[in-house]
Each structure stands twice: as structure tokens, then as C-alpha cells.
Amino acid sequence: MEFAALGAWLVAAAVGAYLMATWITGGGLRRQATKVTRYPLLVLVGHPLAAVAGLLLWAAFLATGQAAYAWGAFTALLVVMLQGFVLFTRWLVGRGGRHARDAGQEFPARAVILHGAVGAATFVLVLLTAVRAGA
């Protein structure tokens, strides 16, 4: 299960990198017009940084088998999921067309859904593995 979590994490990271590249090439911060759809800078930076930190903790868990690393990775994923929810809700509001469109509105819906679904699967797999490792 721990390697399934690693695989899911890597898929989520790859799709997330694609979404970030799409956002940057579409204008990034320069195209954030309205407050309703603006992505908070702290969340934009924190989401991938927390994900990478959690992935490093997960790698440490895989290398050592120590449950503390698994729980650290889970905690990082909790932060990542909360930040991802903020980004997702801002993206949904902008998709309605009533607000100014920004670079994030160019995200393909399938990529956003895949990123979130694989991220949620990663969250569950890491939680289950951490519980099992701590027992």
C-alpha cells in the first residue's frame, strides 16, 4: 500500500506540475483580475511546497519504516488538501463566467479533476499506511 501511495503521489505531482505550467504560461499572477477568482499567493506557493515536503517525508518513511515520517507526510497532505480545496473553489467560481477570467481558467477540467481525485486517493492511502505503521 505504501508504494501505491507513492505512485499516486507522483501522478498527482505530475498533473499538478502540468497545471502550474499551464497557469504560468497563461499569464500567472499578471492575469489575476478580480478578488473573487484571485488565487492567494501564499496558497499558490504553499500548495506545491507542502506537497514536496510531504513527499520527502514519505520517502523517509519508505527508507526507514518509522511511523513518525508517515504521520508527518499525512500532516503535510492535510495542509495540501486544504490549500487545494481553496484553489479548486476559486477555479470553480471563475468557471461560471460571471467574473473576470484569469490564467487559471484555462486549466482543462479533466486535469483539475484528475489532480484532485489522485490527490484524494493519495491522502487515503497515506492515512491507511500511517495507521498500519503506527500499530
Side-chain angles (χ1 to χ4, degrees):
M1 188 170 357
E2 55 270 354
F3 290 104
L6 176 63
W9 207 319
L10 293 174
V11 169
V15 177
Y18 165 74
L19 291 171
M20 170 111 14
T22 300
W23 183 74
I24 290 170
T25 59
L29 290 173
R30 292 186 314 262
R31 287 203 39 212
Q32 296 201 102
T34 66
K35 191 170 188 169
V36 174
T37 58
R38 184 177 304 140
Y39 297 112
L41 185 59
L42 187 58
V43 177
L44 279 172
V45 173
H47 183 70
L49 287 179
V52 169
L55 185 56
L56 292 174
L57 287 167
W58 192 249
F61 166 70
L62 292 176
T64 65
Q66 293 183 10
Y69 288 125
W71 283 111
F74 173 75
T75 303
L77 269 180
L78 186 59
V79 171
V80 170
M81 293 290 283
L82 292 172
Q83 291 173 330
F85 183 73
V86 169
L87 294 171
F88 180 67
T89 56
R90 295 289 173 105
W91 177 76
L92 279 178
V93 168
R95 298 278 296 176
R98 293 187 311 259
H99 304 286
R101 308 200 44 88
D102 68 7
Q105 302 318 310
E106 297 173 6
F107 293 153
R110 288 183 179 150
V112 173
I113 292 166
L114 177 64
H115 182 65
V118 175
T122 304
F123 183 81
V124 170
L125 288 168
V126 168
L127 173 61
L128 293 174
T129 303
V131 167
R132 190 175 69 181

